[in-house]
Amino acid sequence: MGLTAKITRFVYGTVIVLIFVLIAAAVSFPKTAFGEEKIELTPALASEVALDFRASLNGSQEVLTAEPIKFFNDSGQAIGYIVEYQLADGSPEGYVVLDNSDASLFSEWSFEDGARSPISSSLGEISVYATNGSSPFVIKSAPFSYAVSIPDRGIILSEEGEDISSDFSIPAEYSSTPNSPDWYAVFIDGFSSDYTMSTFKNAVDEFICFSESEAKSRTGKYGCAVTAMLNCAPHYVNSFNWNNWGADYNSLWSLSNTTVDHTSGGITYGSTPNNKIGPAFASYCEGNGTTVRYSNSMNLFWDFFKSTVDRGDLSIFCAGINIDGARDGHAMAVEGYSILRPSSGAGENIYTLFVADGWDQGRFVNFYYTRYTDTYGVAFSR
């Protein structure tokens, strides 16, 4: 469906300007805040929270933050910010997503050298489409996926810069609360930005991640579940060819009954049934001389993935959210996990999965995100 309305108020303005802030010795906001009144998550507070969060987990480091990027859900509510970290020379140094629909506020993050936010590619494409009247804004398009909309041009760009305008119908009004005095304000119930990583474990010695752009370049195809299976393949197939895996991708596509969802820019995008992932991967491994077993679980618990990592195995996490009245899903290979505990003792632990999701760096995602319509897991074992 196309865009149903235009946004008349600027969200960022014609040009998205990056404003950098150095970590301060003393912060102006508390690291923990809970109460009966809602707190407005302003850009300044979002930056402070992001810096405190990183410092508590990654130690002291002179990093900078760009101006926080506000994003909306499919109902038109402003629900959070994507905050990008950079070094003084402008090099990307990770990001964090603050999402008020997540009980902990921290939806996902990466502190890896060179790690970019999930929306950075789309933001880079804005100059191609923007005009003097453009007011680009970011929407959450799937679990842990985002898109950039330029309403006056009728264009919505995916994380990879692909025009996906036909997949969305954007509401006319945007707000975080029905009677908000600031139509674009983001409100939260409370937060703790000071955490200790009490547990972290990887199932692999070296992180495995094949990117979406590589899959498109080599095969002319992309499916998130197929890519997730490929990310698991080198862990189980000793003969895996790192330099020529296009045939492996096509094989996993076929074995999993992945069907064409749509075609854009000469690339075929696929949709894979969750219950076909396990049998497809086992069959692929058998064809490559390795016996791999699998187990499935619906609406599962975090321990399903923890126990898989603990025994040295990989798994695939599938989840859906409601977008524009329909389910939109995503699949990611799980290579590790962590538990974050609030240093103050106030607030809940954050249970994360360390996933490969189309980038060269891994990212932590909060498993107990409250807006999932469904979750599904596939665990592998030798």
Side-chain angles (χ1 to χ4, degrees):
M1 290 180 286
L3 296 175
T4 59
K6 293 172 62 177
I7 302 204
T8 57
R9 176 172 173 180
F10 280 57
V11 178
Y12 303 124
T14 305
V15 181
I16 296 180
V17 183
L18 295 182
I19 302 174
F20 302 104
V21 219
L22 218 35
I23 295 181
V27 297
S28 55
F29 298 97
K31 296 184 179 182
T32 304
F34 294 96
E36 295 182 1
E37 297 295 326
K38 286 186 177 293
I39 300 168
E40 182 177 351
L41 185 63
T42 63
L45 179 55
S47 289
E48 295 285 1
V49 169
L51 290 171
D52 283 344
F53 182 68
R54 182 184 180 113
S56 71
L57 295 176
N58 216 41
S60 60
Q61 183 183 19
E62 287 194 350
V63 295
L64 314 169
T65 65
E67 176 72 8
I69 303 165
K70 186 178 294 181
F71 65 94
F72 300 78
N73 64 16
D74 66 304
S75 299
Q77 293 179 319
I79 60 174
Y81 293 92
I82 299 171
V83 185
E84 298 177 314
Y85 303 106
Q86 293 186 351
L87 297 178
D89 63 0
S91 302
E93 194 70 8
Y95 70 94
V96 62
V97 176
L98 309 177
D99 185 338
N100 72 3
S101 60
D102 191 299
S104 71
L105 185 61
F106 301 96
S107 176
E108 61 173 283
W109 62 91
S110 174
F111 301 149
E112 297 289 323
D113 293 341
R116 299 180 180 274
S117 78
I119 207 65
S120 59
S121 295
S122 294
L123 293 177
E125 295 288 333
I126 283 181
S127 60
V128 176
Y129 299 97
T131 65
N132 288 336
S134 294
S135 50
F137 63 97
V138 176
I139 57 175
K140 190 161 190 170
S141 58
F144 308 111
S145 295
Y146 304 84
V148 173
S149 175
I150 308 174
D152 65 315
R153 296 296 302 274
I155 294 171
I156 300 179
L157 302 175
S158 71
E159 292 176 8
E160 289 291 312
E162 177 203 3
D163 187 350
I164 55 172
S165 308
S166 60
D167 297 336
F168 292 91
S169 176
I170 305 302
E173 298 177 332
Y174 292 79
S175 172
S176 182
T177 59
N179 299 308
S180 170
D182 184 341
W183 198 240
Y184 295 92
V186 178
F187 291 94
I188 56 178
D189 291 320
F191 67 91
S192 175
S193 60
D194 189 9
Y195 283 88
T196 300
M197 184 177 288
S198 64
T199 306
F200 174 64
K201 187 167 184 179
N202 264 355
V204 293
D205 294 329
E206 185 173 348
F207 185 68
I208 305 169
C209 185
F210 297 97
S211 71
E212 178 175 343
S213 58
E214 286 180 303
K216 291 175 178 178
S217 174
R218 295 199 183 205
T219 69
K221 301 175 180 176
Y222 178 72
C224 59
V226 178
T227 304
M229 287 186 282
L230 186 72
N231 283 326
C232 295
H235 190 63
Y236 296 97
V237 176
N238 293 330
S239 60
F240 185 82
N241 189 338
W242 288 89
N243 297 316
N244 186 22
W245 47 260
D248 299 79
Y249 200 89
N250 288 327
S251 175
L252 289 165
W253 183 289
S254 177
L255 289 169
S256 60
N257 290 349
T258 297
T259 57
V260 176
D261 181 77
H262 68 283
T263 301
S264 176
I267 303 297
T268 298
Y269 294 83
S271 176
T272 307
N274 288 344
N275 62 1
K276 299 297 183 181
I277 295 174
F281 189 73
S283 179
Y284 162 80
C285 289
E286 183 178 5
N288 285 276
T290 303
T291 299
V292 170
R293 296 178 291 276
Y294 68 90
S295 61
N296 301 327
S297 181
M298 297 178 61
N299 298 319
L300 63 170
F301 295 98
W302 180 78
D303 284 346
F304 176 88
F305 297 102
K306 178 183 182 298
S307 61
T308 303
V309 170
D310 285 345
R311 66 171 183 258
D313 282 305
L314 304 184
S315 56
I316 293 176
F317 174 46
C318 309
I321 62 175
N322 191 318
I323 294 292
D324 198 22
R327 179 192 182 275
D328 202 333
H330 194 43
M332 302 170 282
V334 178
E335 303 188 20
Y337 66 83
S338 70
I339 303 175
L340 309 187
R341 304 187 188 280
S343 300
S344 66
E348 301 294 328
N349 293 343
I350 301 178
Y351 296 87
T352 79
L353 302 178
F354 187 57
V355 301
D357 189 35
W359 294 328
D360 294 329
Q361 298 86 14
R363 59 172 164 169
F364 290 94
V365 299
N366 191 335
F367 177 75
Y368 289 110
Y369 176 61
T370 56
R371 290 190 63 234
Y372 293 138
T373 57
D374 58 273
T375 56
Y376 191 92
V378 185
F380 304 119
S381 61
R382 290 185 176 86

